[in-house]
Amino acid sequence: MLEVIVVQIIKEIISIFISIPFGLLSLTLGSILYVPTGTKFGKYAIIFGLLILTLNVYIV
């Protein structure tokens, strides 16, 4: 019973992180941070956002 609940929670968390709005949010925040400041967080956020959007194209 507890295992089912934990698996459902993990499934929901993963579905949120692989969703298109989260990918677009990551891409937007990355471009806002990376362009003016050049921080590594912004660069990795852009890469992560593009990765999420690419995965959604192949999954859906």
Side-chain angles (χ1 to χ4, degrees):
M1 181 72 178
L2 184 63
E3 294 173 356
V4 173
I5 294 171
V6 171
V7 168
Q8 286 178 348
I9 290 173
I10 291 172
K11 178 185 164 194
E12 290 299 321
I13 290 172
I14 290 174
S15 69
I16 288 171
F17 279 121
I18 300 181
S19 66
I20 291 176
F22 187 76
L24 292 176
L25 177 69
S26 176
L27 189 65
T28 304
L29 287 176
S31 58
I32 288 172
L33 292 175
Y34 183 64
V35 173
T37 61
T39 60
K40 286 185 179 181
F41 177 75
K43 180 171 66 172
Y44 293 134
I46 291 172
I47 293 170
F48 187 66
L50 290 173
L51 179 69
I52 290 173
L53 293 176
T54 304
L55 286 175
N56 275 315
V57 168
Y58 290 117
I59 291 173
V60 175

